[in-house]
Amino acid sequence: MASSITSLRFHLLCCLTAVWLLIPPSHSADPDPLQDFCVANISASISVNGFPCKPASEVTLEDFFFDGFTKEGNTSNIFASSLTPANVLTFPGLNTLGIAMNRVDFAPGGINPPHWHLRASETGVVIEGKLLVGFVTTNNVFYSKVLSAGQMFVIPRGLVHFQLNVGEGKALAFTAFNSHLPGAAVVPFNLFASSIPNEVLTKTFQVDTDLINTIRSKFGS
């Protein structure tokens, strides 16, 4: 009897071990750091999927602080919005930590145009004004809501999304990412400020070349 119980316990232990080994590990968007910090050496000549660490002897207090969010962004552009990034390129202390933030300023009627982040999910909170926040799934289901100060949103990784100022005055939001360099592919620039042939765009949107050229002219291409 005792040997049967021991055998059963051993069998259960083996099963649990197998299940544990088969469960995919949970990772953040970026690799986990293996040291206290790795302040990015942005000027390094060699990098492999990221930035090498500055020698610890060259790390200073200022590597861990960022004041880029203290000033309102310049919204004098075609989208009437401004994005101030705090990612590894502007804040090297974020290197390997799997986090980044943006400050996004909106003039009245301003928009953060449809875009997606290749390497991160996004959360955000409205600080001032009213924003229509929306995203589209890969099944073309559209989710959106008008948010006021203090309300938060989340955008799953890789989905096209936008924020539009629908209030009467300025708007301000802060967004955060689970990557130190989330990347952003902005739809209108990707399509109309790139070298994609007009033939591709005319067939895609079922319009003539004149209209494509008119849209291209808006984006400097």
Side-chain angles (χ1 to χ4, degrees), residues 5 13 29 34 40-41 51 56 74 76 80 90 96 107 109 123 125 128 150 161 173 189 202 213:
I5 293 175
L13 179 60
L34 299 178
N41 181 359
F51 295 96
N74 182 2
S76 300
T90 60
T96 76
T123 60
V125 61
E128 177 186 353
H161 60 284
F189 286 115
T202 56
N213 287 334

Side-chain angles (χ1 to χ4, degrees), residues 124-127 129-131 145-153 173-174:
V125 61
V126 179
I127 304 300
K130 286 187 176 182
L131 291 177
K145 187 174 182 178
V146 174
L147 303 181
S148 300
Q151 293 184 294
M152 186 176 177
F153 62 87
F174 285 96

Side-chain angles (χ1 to χ4, degrees), residues 32-126:
D32 290 330
L34 299 178
Q35 60 282 314
D36 289 343
F37 56 80
C38 175
V39 176
N41 181 359
I42 301 297
S43 61
S45 59
I46 298 176
S47 64
V48 179
N49 199 28
F51 295 96
C53 308
K54 247 207 254 188
S57 59
E58 297 179 13
V59 172
T60 70
L61 175 69
E62 296 305 317
D63 287 318
F64 301 105
F65 296 90
F66 178 77
D67 62 4
F69 290 162
T70 59
K71 296 180 181 179
E72 182 177 342
N74 182 2
T75 57
S76 300
N77 55 65
I78 59 174
F79 296 125
S81 68
S82 175
L83 188 148
T84 304
N87 56 41
V88 68
L89 298 178
T90 60
F91 189 2
L94 297 178
N95 194 39
T96 76
L97 299 183
I99 53 175
M101 291 186 69
N102 288 338
R103 170 179 175 147
V104 192
D105 290 279
F106 301 83
I111 186 171
N112 188 10
H115 62 282
W116 70 92
H117 303 289
L118 297 75
R119 297 181 285 274
S121 298
E122 173 182 349
T123 60
V125 61
V126 179

